[in-house]
Amino acid sequence: MKNIRTALAGLLVASLATSCNQATKTDTTAAATTNSAAPPDTAALAKKPDWWKETVVYQLYPRSFQDSNGDGVGDLRGIISRLDYLKSLGVGSVWLNPIYTSPNDDNGYDISDYRQIQPEFGTMADFDELLRGLHARGIKLIMDVVVNHSSDEHPWFKSARASRTSPYRDYYYWWPAEKGTPPARFSTFDVQHNAWQYDAPTKSYYLHYFSKKQPDLNWTNPKVRQEVYSMMRFWADKGIDGFRMDAFQFVAKDPTFPPMPGLTAQNFVNAYNHGPHLHDYLREMNREVFSKYNLMTVAEGAGRNPQDAMLFVDPARKELDMTYHFDAVGIGNKQGKYQLSELKNVFTKWEQEFATKGWQSIYLGSHDQPRIVSRFGDDRPAFRVPSAKLLTTFLLSMHGTPYCYFGDELGMTNIRFSSIADYRDVAARNGYELVKSQGGSLPDYLASLKIFSRDNSRTPFQWNTAANAGFTTGTPWLQVNPNYTTINETAQNQDPNSILNHFRRAIAMRKQHKVLVYGQYQLLDAANPTIYAYTRTLGQEKALVVLNFSAEARSWALPAGLTLAGPPWLNNYPTLAATASLALQPWQAVVVPIR
Ligand code: NOJ
Ligand code: CA
C-alpha cells in the first residue's frame, strides 16, 4: 500500500495539494474562528476596479470541448462554434490550457514551439478569429504559459542535448557524468520519481521536475528569461488579456544542486517552491512584460503558506495579481473523503491573510483535479443536482476571483475507468508503471485513480444525446462519460432548474452585487460539522451564505442580531423555510441579503 500511496502522491498533481496542506495545517483551528480585518475601502474600490477582480474565469480544456473536424480532438474552430454558449454563461474570461505546438506527452504542457498553434488545434488564423470572437462578446482570454520546462522536442533542447558546446546548452540544467551521480531530485511524473535523466550523446544528466520529456529551463540564464519575456510580449501584442503561469513556483533553482536529503513525494513541493531569485524573476517579468499591458496574471502554486503567497501578489511588490494554492483540493483522505471543517479551515485561513491586501483565486476543480461534484459534492443520482449547485453557489459567493472548470456547470462527474488502458494521462500511466516495478498492488492503484485521476475531469464536454455527446463525429481521444445521455448541455439549457441555469444565475448575482466580490468575509458557526455559513459585508450591503454540505435536511439557527432583509438572491431549491432558523433541504445552498 505504501508503494501505491507514493506513486499516487508523486504522480498526481493533486499531490501538490497534499504537501502544501501539510505545511499549513497547524494554525487552521484558530483561523476558523474569526476574521477581524478592517472592512475594505469601498470608495477606493469603486474608483478604479481591477477587471480581474470582478471577472469570473471559465477554464476551458481545449482538447475536450468541441471537435470541429471529426479527428476526435477538440480544437479552436470547435471553440469558435461555441462562442455564443460561452457568452450565455456570463463568464468574463476564458483560460485556455496550452494550445501551442507540443508532442503531447503531458497534453500540451510540453511545448516545442511557444509561438505556434498546435496543428491538431488549428492555425494562427483560427486563434486570431477566436480572440476576436471572444472580445466581440466581452470575454477576455487568459493563456497558459509553461516555462518551468519546455518539451524535449523544442529546438533549444534538441541543440542543447547534441553537444556540450551548443549555444543552447545553458538553457537547461546538466550534470556531467564525470562528476558522478547527481544529488537526488524528485520528479512527479517520472516512472522512477527520478528528476535526472541520463542522456548518452553528451554523457550528462538533465533535470526534469515533471516527465523526462519536460526538461527544466535554466532560469539563472538571462537569455532564457529574455526568450520567455519576448514570447509573452508576442502573445500580449496579439491582444490577449492575461497569463496563467504553469508551475511557476518551481522555476528558481540553485544551479549547484546541493544535496536535499529526505526529499519525498510528500515534501518536494515545499522543498522546491521558494528557490533563490524567484521573486527577482517575477519582478523582472513584471517590468519587462506586465507593466506594459493591462494583463491579469496568476501563478499556479503559492509557496508554503498564505504568507508566502502574499509575497507573490502584494501590489506594492509589483509581481503578480493572483496565485492559487492547493490546500483545499488536497484535503481529506485517500478515499477522497473529507470533513467540512477542513474545507472551512482552509478557506478561512487564506481569507485572513488576504482580507485587506492582495487577491486570491477561488477554485475547487481544474484539469489536474477530479470532478468537483464527485470530490466535494455527492454524485449519487438523488444528490448530484443540488450538490453541484451548492458548489457553484460557494465558488460564486467567496472573496476572490472564481475559477470555474468547464463541465462543472453541468455537474459532470468522474468517469472512473476500470482499466489502465482507458487512461491517457502521463501521470496515471507512469504511476501504474512505477507501482508495477515496485511490486505494489495494481488493483489498489486503479481504485485510487477512480477517485483522483486527472482524466476524470478531462473527458469530453457533454453537449447533447448524439453519438459521443456531440463532442466529435469521430473517435474521441478520451472516452466520453456514458452518463451524457442524461447529463448534457442541451437538456440543461431547456430546464430552468438545471445546474447550468443555476450557474448562469449565480454569475448574474455576483455581477449585480459587488458585496460578493469585495465584501469582507466572516465565518459563522465554525464548529458546525455540516453547515458552512458566512457573511459578506461591503458598507451597507450584507449577504448571508448558508450551505448545507450534507444529504440530510438540517435546521440552522440564525445568529442573534442577524435579520433576513429579503428573499434569497440565489437558492438551489424553490423555497427557503425561514423563521428563527433556516430549514435546509439536503445540499441546500442560499445567498440571502441581511441587515
Ligand atoms: C501543472 C499543470 O496544471 C499540469 O497539468 C501539468 O502536468 C504540470 N503543471 C506540468 O506542466
Ligand atoms: Ca479536431
Side-chain angles (χ1 to χ4, degrees):
M1 190 61 194
K2 185 165 173 290
N3 291 340
I4 307 293
R5 290 204 335 246
T6 312
L8 256 183
L11 290 161
L12 301 179
V13 173
S15 66
L16 303 187
T18 317
S19 315
C20 290
N21 194 35
Q22 304 298 325
T24 50
K25 235 170 193 164
T26 44
D27 55 343
T28 50
T29 320
T33 52
T34 182
N35 178 345
S36 56
D41 179 347
T42 335
L45 290 172
K47 232 192 290 162
K48 193 179 172 289
D50 292 310
W51 67 264
W52 42 267
K53 291 182 178 166
E54 299 189 2
T55 198
V56 173
V57 179
Y58 184 77
Q59 185 195 342
L60 190 159
Y61 199 65
R63 265 190 109 63
S64 299
F65 191 58
Q66 178 70 70
D67 177 21
S68 71
N69 61 351
D71 67 355
V73 175
D75 47 50
L76 301 188
R77 297 227 66 82
I79 304 173
I80 290 168
S81 74
R82 296 293 187 178
L83 283 170
D84 287 337
Y85 172 70
L86 298 176
K87 166 106 176 133
S88 81
L89 297 176
V91 297
S93 307
V94 165
W95 152 26
L96 283 186
N97 292 95
I99 53 169
Y100 321 94
T101 312
S102 163
N104 263 337
D105 186 55
D106 185 19
N107 287 5
Y109 283 95
D110 47 316
I111 296 170
S112 53
D113 188 338
Y114 288 94
R115 294 171 193 239
Q116 293 293 336
I117 301 297
Q118 169 79 330
E120 62 184 352
F121 287 160
T123 63
M124 194 58 90
D126 295 331
F127 173 82
D128 293 338
E129 187 179 331
L130 172 61
L131 182 59
R132 278 197 305 275
L134 286 167
H135 283 172
R137 289 165 181 79
I139 302 173
K140 301 195 185 276
L141 179 62
I142 316 298
M143 297 281 277
D144 221 309
V145 177
V146 188
V147 289
N148 172 70
H149 44 270
S150 72
S151 163
D152 66 339
E153 297 182 36
H154 193 290
W156 298 335
F157 190 76
K158 286 186 182 166
S159 169
R161 82 183 332 174
S163 151
R164 287 193 182 189
T165 57
S166 157
Y168 293 100
R169 185 75 173 175
D170 287 343
Y171 276 40
Y172 298 89
Y173 293 110
W174 298 95
W175 186 273
E178 62 270 20
K179 280 172 67 180
T181 310
R185 289 295 183 272
F186 181 90
S187 161
T188 184
F189 295 159
D190 185 72
V191 285
Q192 296 299 333
H193 281 169
N194 181 0
W196 291 107
Q197 174 69 30
Y198 181 70
D199 208 41
T202 59
K203 297 190 175 54
S204 306
Y205 300 82
Y206 65 84
L207 184 78
H208 63 92
Y209 277 0
F210 294 91
S211 92
K212 66 179 180 191
K213 285 187 66 64
Q214 295 169 295
D216 282 39
L217 285 162
N218 175 3
W219 274 70
T220 68
N221 182 347
K223 283 194 200 148
V224 167
R225 305 202 300 271
Q226 289 306 324
E227 296 264 19
V228 169
Y229 307 148
S230 159
M231 174 272 285
M232 293 173 83
R233 286 191 297 262
F234 168 83
W235 291 101
D237 286 338
K238 280 187 160 287
I240 68 153
D241 306 286
F243 293 114
R244 178 262 188 192
M245 310 295 302
D246 182 73
F248 200 81
Q249 58 178 355
F250 297 146
V251 300
K253 285 137 193 150
D254 176 346
T256 65
F257 294 103
M260 283 187 172
L263 202 59
T264 66
Q266 282 68 42
N267 65 21
F268 82 97
V269 173
N270 284 345
Y272 286 178
N273 68 16
H274 53 285
H277 303 298
L278 178 62
H279 292 284
D280 297 333
Y281 299 153
L282 280 172
R283 278 194 290 272
E284 185 179 70
M285 184 183 286
N286 189 304
R287 278 196 307 276
E288 297 269 344
V289 187
F290 308 151
S291 66
K292 302 179 196 297
Y293 306 88
N294 180 19
L295 294 165
M296 169 191 136
T297 56
V298 54
E300 183 202 23
R304 293 158 294 186
N305 50 44
Q307 293 70 39
D308 272 8
M310 183 57 82
L311 298 177
F312 290 89
V313 302
D314 178 347
R317 293 171 57 87
K318 295 197 182 348
E319 296 187 19
L320 299 170
D321 298 324
M322 283 175 264
T323 66
Y324 61 84
H325 62 79
F326 293 90
D327 284 6
V329 294
I331 63 172
N333 65 16
K334 290 180 295 300
Q335 283 72 46
K337 298 268 186 300
Y338 71 100
Q339 301 291 321
L340 179 61
S341 58
E342 298 177 88
L343 196 73
K344 291 189 198 183
N345 288 341
V346 165
F347 278 99
T348 305
K349 178 186 66 176
W350 280 82
E351 175 58 25
Q352 282 197 318
E353 182 69 20
F354 286 82
T356 55
K357 193 168 68 167
W359 197 251
Q360 296 195 75
S361 312
I362 303 290
Y363 81 107
L364 290 171
S366 77
H367 66 296
D368 291 333
Q369 304 297 333
R371 281 287 171 192
I372 64 173
V373 71
S374 303
R375 172 83 174 82
F376 294 104
D378 185 338
D379 66 8
R380 290 176 295 173
F383 304 110
R384 187 185 62 85
V385 173
S387 68
K389 290 177 180 173
L390 174 143
L391 295 170
T392 295
T393 306
F394 171 70
L395 293 171
L396 274 299
S397 64
M398 284 293 284
H399 184 206
T401 297
Y403 288 65
C404 303
Y405 183 60
F406 92 122
D408 284 342
E409 77 272 27
L410 305 179
M412 281 175 60
T413 63
N414 282 359
I415 190 160
R416 305 185 173 101
F417 290 130
S418 39
S419 160
I420 192 64
D422 293 329
Y423 288 94
R424 295 287 169 271
D425 183 13
V426 63
R429 295 172 83 98
N430 286 2
Y432 190 85
E433 290 309 315
L434 178 67
V435 173
K436 200 156 79 176
S437 70
Q438 294 183 338
S441 162
L442 293 171
D444 283 356
Y445 184 68
L446 287 172
S448 308
L449 288 180
K450 284 187 184 181
I451 301 166
F452 291 114
S453 170
R454 310 194 295 180
D455 278 343
N456 280 309
S457 64
R458 296 176 178 186
T459 61
F461 193 85
Q462 296 167 204
W463 290 104
N464 52 45
T465 55
N468 295 315
F471 164 69
T472 181
T473 54
T475 306
W477 73 277
L478 181 69
Q479 282 173 46
V480 174
N481 194 315
N483 64 19
Y484 74 88
T485 50
T486 50
I487 303 174
N488 63 69
E489 187 271 333
T490 303
Q492 294 199 23
N493 191 43
Q494 289 155 6
D495 173 4
N497 293 320
S498 65
I499 302 168
L500 174 60
N501 281 316
H502 183 84
F503 181 77
R504 290 174 170 140
R505 283 193 290 273
I507 290 182
M509 165 189 73
R510 192 175 174 94
K511 276 190 196 149
Q512 195 185 339
H513 300 288
K514 291 287 175 275
V515 62
L516 297 173
V517 176
Y518 297 110
Q520 185 197 4
Y521 162 98
Q522 172 82 50
L523 180 68
L524 304 176
D525 196 7
N528 194 311
T530 51
I531 306 287
Y532 191 172
Y534 48 92
T535 54
R536 304 289 314 276
T537 305
L538 185 68
Q540 292 309 303
E541 201 178 23
K542 290 186 186 165
L544 168 70
V545 182
V546 187
L547 312 167
N548 176 11
F549 271 80
S550 82
E552 284 90 44
R554 304 272 175 195
S555 169
W556 188 71
L558 287 169
L562 191 153
T563 314
L564 304 189
W569 292 340
L570 191 68
N571 186 354
N572 62 350
Y573 277 80
T575 56
L576 173 65
T579 51
S581 303
L582 305 185
L584 299 162
Q585 300 297 307
W587 293 99
Q588 188 161 11
V590 291
V591 183
V592 200
I594 52 169
R595 294 192 274 278

mmCIF file of all heavy atoms in Angstrom, residues 350-377:
data_model
loop_
_atom_site.group_PDB
_atom_site.id
_atom_site.type_symbol
_atom_site.label_atom_id
_atom_site.label_comp_id
_atom_site.label_asym_id
_atom_site.label_seq_id
_atom_site.Cartn_x
_atom_site.Cartn_y
_atom_site.Cartn_z
ATOM 1 N N TRP A 350 -6.917 31.256 4.623
ATOM 2 C CA TRP A 350 -6.398 32.048 3.491
ATOM 3 C C TRP A 350 -7.060 33.414 3.447
ATOM 4 O O TRP A 350 -6.422 34.424 3.143
ATOM 5 C CB TRP A 350 -6.581 31.287 2.177
ATOM 6 C CG TRP A 350 -5.523 30.258 2.005
ATOM 7 C CD1 TRP A 350 -5.495 29.002 2.548
ATOM 8 C CD2 TRP A 350 -4.284 30.399 1.288
ATOM 9 N NE1 TRP A 350 -4.335 28.367 2.207
ATOM 10 C CE2 TRP A 350 -3.574 29.189 1.423
ATOM 11 C CE3 TRP A 350 -3.727 31.434 0.523
ATOM 12 C CZ2 TRP A 350 -2.326 28.985 0.847
ATOM 13 C CZ3 TRP A 350 -2.482 31.227 -0.061
ATOM 14 C CH2 TRP A 350 -1.799 30.025 0.103
ATOM 15 N N GLU A 351 -8.349 33.447 3.772
ATOM 16 C CA GLU A 351 -9.062 34.719 3.764
ATOM 17 C C GLU A 351 -8.458 35.691 4.781
ATOM 18 O O GLU A 351 -8.370 36.888 4.523
ATOM 19 C CB GLU A 351 -10.545 34.468 4.063
ATOM 20 C CG GLU A 351 -11.378 35.714 4.203
ATOM 21 C CD GLU A 351 -11.367 36.617 2.976
ATOM 22 O OE1 GLU A 351 -11.127 36.125 1.863
ATOM 23 O OE2 GLU A 351 -11.570 37.834 3.162
ATOM 24 N N GLN A 352 -8.024 35.175 5.899
ATOM 25 C CA GLN A 352 -7.427 36.063 6.913
ATOM 26 C C GLN A 352 -6.234 36.816 6.353
ATOM 27 O O GLN A 352 -6.069 38.005 6.587
ATOM 28 C CB GLN A 352 -6.995 35.248 8.122
ATOM 29 C CG GLN A 352 -8.161 34.897 9.009
ATOM 30 C CD GLN A 352 -7.716 34.460 10.392
ATOM 31 O OE1 GLN A 352 -6.753 33.724 10.518
ATOM 32 N NE2 GLN A 352 -8.420 34.901 11.402
ATOM 33 N N GLU A 353 -5.395 36.120 5.623
ATOM 34 C CA GLU A 353 -4.204 36.769 5.088
ATOM 35 C C GLU A 353 -4.570 37.775 3.995
ATOM 36 O O GLU A 353 -3.908 38.793 3.827
ATOM 37 C CB GLU A 353 -3.247 35.701 4.529
ATOM 38 C CG GLU A 353 -1.932 36.238 3.969
ATOM 39 C CD GLU A 353 -0.995 36.789 5.042
ATOM 40 O OE1 GLU A 353 -1.174 36.432 6.223
ATOM 41 O OE2 GLU A 353 -0.107 37.596 4.679
ATOM 42 N N PHE A 354 -5.644 37.479 3.255
ATOM 43 C CA PHE A 354 -5.957 38.279 2.072
ATOM 44 C C PHE A 354 -7.151 39.214 2.276
ATOM 45 O O PHE A 354 -7.676 39.747 1.315
ATOM 46 C CB PHE A 354 -6.207 37.357 0.869
ATOM 47 C CG PHE A 354 -4.935 36.766 0.335
ATOM 48 C CD1 PHE A 354 -4.373 35.650 0.911
ATOM 49 C CD2 PHE A 354 -4.271 37.377 -0.717
ATOM 50 C CE1 PHE A 354 -3.177 35.125 0.441
ATOM 51 C CE2 PHE A 354 -3.075 36.865 -1.197
ATOM 52 C CZ PHE A 354 -2.520 35.734 -0.617
ATOM 53 N N ALA A 355 -7.567 39.391 3.512
ATOM 54 C CA ALA A 355 -8.788 40.169 3.756
ATOM 55 C C ALA A 355 -8.664 41.607 3.254
ATOM 56 O O ALA A 355 -9.617 42.168 2.718
ATOM 57 C CB ALA A 355 -9.116 40.151 5.240
ATOM 58 N N THR A 356 -7.520 42.210 3.405
ATOM 59 C CA THR A 356 -7.420 43.637 3.059
ATOM 60 C C THR A 356 -6.318 43.934 2.051
ATOM 61 O O THR A 356 -6.167 45.067 1.621
ATOM 62 C CB THR A 356 -7.142 44.488 4.319
ATOM 63 O OG1 THR A 356 -5.965 43.973 4.944
ATOM 64 C CG2 THR A 356 -8.308 44.433 5.284
ATOM 65 N N LYS A 357 -5.545 42.961 1.707
ATOM 66 C CA LYS A 357 -4.427 43.213 0.775
ATOM 67 C C LYS A 357 -4.232 42.003 -0.121
ATOM 68 O O LYS A 357 -4.448 40.871 0.299
ATOM 69 C CB LYS A 357 -3.151 43.470 1.573
ATOM 70 C CG LYS A 357 -2.020 44.035 0.733
ATOM 71 C CD LYS A 357 -0.872 44.548 1.582
ATOM 72 C CE LYS A 357 -0.160 43.421 2.272
ATOM 73 N NZ LYS A 357 1.125 43.788 2.859
ATOM 74 N N GLY A 358 -3.803 42.267 -1.355
ATOM 75 C CA GLY A 358 -3.599 41.153 -2.273
ATOM 76 C C GLY A 358 -4.940 40.610 -2.750
ATOM 77 O O GLY A 358 -5.998 41.179 -2.449
ATOM 78 N N TRP A 359 -4.909 39.547 -3.494
ATOM 79 C CA TRP A 359 -6.153 38.991 -4.052
ATOM 80 C C TRP A 359 -5.978 37.497 -4.243
ATOM 81 O O TRP A 359 -4.882 37.036 -4.541
ATOM 82 C CB TRP A 359 -6.458 39.679 -5.389
ATOM 83 C CG TRP A 359 -7.877 39.483 -5.848
ATOM 84 C CD1 TRP A 359 -8.287 38.710 -6.882
ATOM 85 C CD2 TRP A 359 -9.054 40.102 -5.299
ATOM 86 N NE1 TRP A 359 -9.656 38.773 -7.013
ATOM 87 C CE2 TRP A 359 -10.156 39.630 -6.057
ATOM 88 C CE3 TRP A 359 -9.307 40.982 -4.246
ATOM 89 C CZ2 TRP A 359 -11.462 40.021 -5.787
ATOM 90 C CZ3 TRP A 359 -10.617 41.364 -3.982
ATOM 91 C CH2 TRP A 359 -11.674 40.892 -4.747
ATOM 92 N N GLN A 360 -7.070 36.758 -4.066
ATOM 93 C CA GLN A 360 -6.996 35.294 -4.148
ATOM 94 C C GLN A 360 -7.724 34.745 -5.360
ATOM 95 O O GLN A 360 -8.624 35.381 -5.893
ATOM 96 C CB GLN A 360 -7.720 34.685 -2.948
ATOM 97 C CG GLN A 360 -7.169 34.961 -1.612
ATOM 98 C CD GLN A 360 -7.798 33.980 -0.630
ATOM 99 O OE1 GLN A 360 -7.447 32.805 -0.600
ATOM 100 N NE2 GLN A 360 -8.755 34.457 0.151
ATOM 101 N N SER A 361 -7.385 33.518 -5.710
ATOM 102 C CA SER A 361 -8.171 32.732 -6.659
ATOM 103 C C SER A 361 -9.025 31.773 -5.836
ATOM 104 O O SER A 361 -8.556 31.222 -4.849
ATOM 105 C CB SER A 361 -7.261 31.881 -7.539
ATOM 106 O OG SER A 361 -6.217 32.643 -8.056
ATOM 107 N N ILE A 362 -10.257 31.575 -6.289
ATOM 108 C CA ILE A 362 -11.154 30.634 -5.602
ATOM 109 C C ILE A 362 -11.499 29.521 -6.590
ATOM 110 O O ILE A 362 -12.051 29.786 -7.657
ATOM 111 C CB ILE A 362 -12.462 31.348 -5.164
ATOM 112 C CG1 ILE A 362 -12.163 32.551 -4.256
ATOM 113 C CG2 ILE A 362 -13.411 30.359 -4.503
ATOM 114 C CD1 ILE A 362 -11.645 32.226 -2.886
ATOM 115 N N TYR A 363 -11.132 28.292 -6.255
ATOM 116 C CA TYR A 363 -11.456 27.186 -7.158
ATOM 117 C C TYR A 363 -11.537 25.885 -6.378
ATOM 118 O O TYR A 363 -11.011 25.773 -5.266
ATOM 119 C CB TYR A 363 -10.398 27.061 -8.271
ATOM 120 C CG TYR A 363 -9.140 26.332 -7.828
ATOM 121 C CD1 TYR A 363 -8.879 25.030 -8.260
ATOM 122 C CD2 TYR A 363 -8.233 26.916 -6.952
ATOM 123 C CE1 TYR A 363 -7.740 24.349 -7.836
ATOM 124 C CE2 TYR A 363 -7.097 26.232 -6.529
ATOM 125 C CZ TYR A 363 -6.858 24.950 -6.973
ATOM 126 O OH TYR A 363 -5.748 24.274 -6.545
ATOM 127 N N LEU A 364 -12.194 24.925 -6.946
ATOM 128 C CA LEU A 364 -12.215 23.569 -6.379
ATOM 129 C C LEU A 364 -11.845 22.527 -7.431
ATOM 130 O O LEU A 364 -11.501 21.401 -7.091
ATOM 131 C CB LEU A 364 -13.607 23.237 -5.815
ATOM 132 C CG LEU A 364 -14.041 23.984 -4.558
ATOM 133 C CD1 LEU A 364 -15.518 23.706 -4.249
ATOM 134 C CD2 LEU A 364 -13.178 23.599 -3.356
ATOM 135 N N GLY A 365 -11.976 22.899 -8.709
ATOM 136 C CA GLY A 365 -11.723 21.924 -9.761
ATOM 137 C C GLY A 365 -10.820 22.497 -10.832
ATOM 138 O O GLY A 365 -10.701 23.710 -10.978
ATOM 139 N N SER A 366 -10.177 21.605 -11.579
ATOM 140 C CA SER A 366 -9.335 22.008 -12.707
ATOM 141 C C SER A 366 -9.037 20.750 -13.514
ATOM 142 O O SER A 366 -9.510 19.655 -13.160
ATOM 143 C CB SER A 366 -8.029 22.631 -12.225
ATOM 144 O OG SER A 366 -7.141 21.617 -11.781
ATOM 145 N N HIS A 367 -8.212 20.904 -14.539
ATOM 146 C CA HIS A 367 -7.817 19.745 -15.355
ATOM 147 C C HIS A 367 -6.859 18.827 -14.594
ATOM 148 O O HIS A 367 -6.498 17.776 -15.100
ATOM 149 C CB HIS A 367 -7.153 20.240 -16.634
ATOM 150 C CG HIS A 367 -5.855 20.941 -16.366
ATOM 151 N ND1 HIS A 367 -5.784 22.119 -15.645
ATOM 152 C CD2 HIS A 367 -4.592 20.605 -16.671
ATOM 153 C CE1 HIS A 367 -4.516 22.462 -15.534
ATOM 154 N NE2 HIS A 367 -3.774 21.572 -16.153
ATOM 155 N N ASP A 368 -6.407 19.256 -13.422
ATOM 156 C CA ASP A 368 -5.500 18.430 -12.616
ATOM 157 C C ASP A 368 -6.211 17.767 -11.445
ATOM 158 O O ASP A 368 -5.574 17.098 -10.631
ATOM 159 C CB ASP A 368 -4.366 19.296 -12.044
ATOM 160 C CG ASP A 368 -3.410 19.772 -13.112
ATOM 161 O OD1 ASP A 368 -3.275 19.076 -14.143
ATOM 162 O OD2 ASP A 368 -2.800 20.836 -12.921
ATOM 163 N N GLN A 369 -7.495 18.006 -11.340
ATOM 164 C CA GLN A 369 -8.262 17.508 -10.198
ATOM 165 C C GLN A 369 -9.439 16.692 -10.692
ATOM 166 O O GLN A 369 -9.877 16.875 -11.823
ATOM 167 C CB GLN A 369 -8.788 18.696 -9.360
ATOM 168 C CG GLN A 369 -7.715 19.643 -8.875
ATOM 169 C CD GLN A 369 -6.729 18.979 -7.926
ATOM 170 O OE1 GLN A 369 -7.078 18.018 -7.254
ATOM 171 N NE2 GLN A 369 -5.509 19.481 -7.882
ATOM 172 N N PRO A 370 -9.975 15.807 -9.848
ATOM 173 C CA PRO A 370 -11.209 15.122 -10.254
ATOM 174 C C PRO A 370 -12.370 16.097 -10.348
ATOM 175 O O PRO A 370 -12.237 17.275 -9.997
ATOM 176 C CB PRO A 370 -11.414 14.106 -9.137
ATOM 177 C CG PRO A 370 -10.609 14.585 -7.981
ATOM 178 C CD PRO A 370 -9.498 15.409 -8.528
ATOM 179 N N ARG A 371 -13.505 15.621 -10.810
ATOM 180 C CA ARG A 371 -14.699 16.464 -10.927
ATOM 181 C C ARG A 371 -15.186 16.926 -9.547
ATOM 182 O O ARG A 371 -15.220 16.132 -8.603
ATOM 183 C CB ARG A 371 -15.808 15.680 -11.632
ATOM 184 C CG ARG A 371 -15.620 15.623 -13.132
ATOM 185 C CD ARG A 371 -15.929 16.975 -13.747
ATOM 186 N NE ARG A 371 -15.577 17.045 -15.152
ATOM 187 C CZ ARG A 371 -15.546 18.210 -15.821
ATOM 188 N NH1 ARG A 371 -15.847 19.350 -15.224
ATOM 189 N NH2 ARG A 371 -15.209 18.225 -17.088
ATOM 190 N N ILE A 372 -15.592 18.202 -9.477
ATOM 191 C CA ILE A 372 -15.898 18.738 -8.141
ATOM 192 C C ILE A 372 -17.134 18.086 -7.505
ATOM 193 O O ILE A 372 -17.181 17.900 -6.300
ATOM 194 C CB ILE A 372 -16.007 20.276 -8.099
ATOM 195 C CG1 ILE A 372 -17.160 20.818 -8.919
ATOM 196 C CG2 ILE A 372 -14.711 20.909 -8.514
ATOM 197 C CD1 ILE A 372 -17.363 22.334 -8.721
ATOM 198 N N VAL A 373 -18.112 17.730 -8.323
ATOM 199 C CA VAL A 373 -19.307 17.141 -7.692
ATOM 200 C C VAL A 373 -18.990 15.752 -7.151
ATOM 201 O O VAL A 373 -19.576 15.315 -6.146
ATOM 202 C CB VAL A 373 -20.512 17.128 -8.666
ATOM 203 C CG1 VAL A 373 -20.320 16.096 -9.785
ATOM 204 C CG2 VAL A 373 -21.814 16.859 -7.920
ATOM 205 N N SER A 374 -18.039 15.056 -7.769
ATOM 206 C CA SER A 374 -17.647 13.732 -7.274
ATOM 207 C C SER A 374 -16.721 13.847 -6.068
ATOM 208 O O SER A 374 -16.685 12.958 -5.219
ATOM 209 C CB SER A 374 -16.932 12.936 -8.375
ATOM 210 O OG SER A 374 -17.755 12.811 -9.513
ATOM 211 N N ARG A 375 -15.982 14.932 -5.992
ATOM 212 C CA ARG A 375 -14.964 15.095 -4.944
ATOM 213 C C ARG A 375 -15.532 15.796 -3.706
ATOM 214 O O ARG A 375 -15.298 15.370 -2.579
ATOM 215 C CB ARG A 375 -13.810 15.914 -5.544
ATOM 216 C CG ARG A 375 -12.738 16.366 -4.590
ATOM 217 C CD ARG A 375 -11.717 15.276 -4.359
ATOM 218 N NE ARG A 375 -10.613 15.776 -3.547
ATOM 219 C CZ ARG A 375 -10.647 15.856 -2.226
ATOM 220 N NH1 ARG A 375 -11.721 15.488 -1.551
ATOM 221 N NH2 ARG A 375 -9.601 16.306 -1.565
ATOM 222 N N PHE A 376 -16.237 16.896 -3.927
ATOM 223 C CA PHE A 376 -16.705 17.710 -2.787
ATOM 224 C C PHE A 376 -18.218 17.663 -2.593
ATOM 225 O O PHE A 376 -18.725 18.097 -1.570
ATOM 226 C CB PHE A 376 -16.288 19.179 -2.958
ATOM 227 C CG PHE A 376 -14.796 19.365 -2.906
ATOM 228 C CD1 PHE A 376 -14.066 19.581 -4.060
ATOM 229 C CD2 PHE A 376 -14.127 19.313 -1.698
ATOM 230 C CE1 PHE A 376 -12.684 19.738 -4.013
ATOM 231 C CE2 PHE A 376 -12.753 19.462 -1.631
ATOM 232 C CZ PHE A 376 -12.032 19.678 -2.796
ATOM 233 N N GLY A 377 -18.930 17.195 -3.632
ATOM 234 C CA GLY A 377 -20.379 17.087 -3.517
ATOM 235 C C GLY A 377 -20.771 15.639 -3.349
ATOM 236 O O GLY A 377 -20.058 14.865 -2.698
#
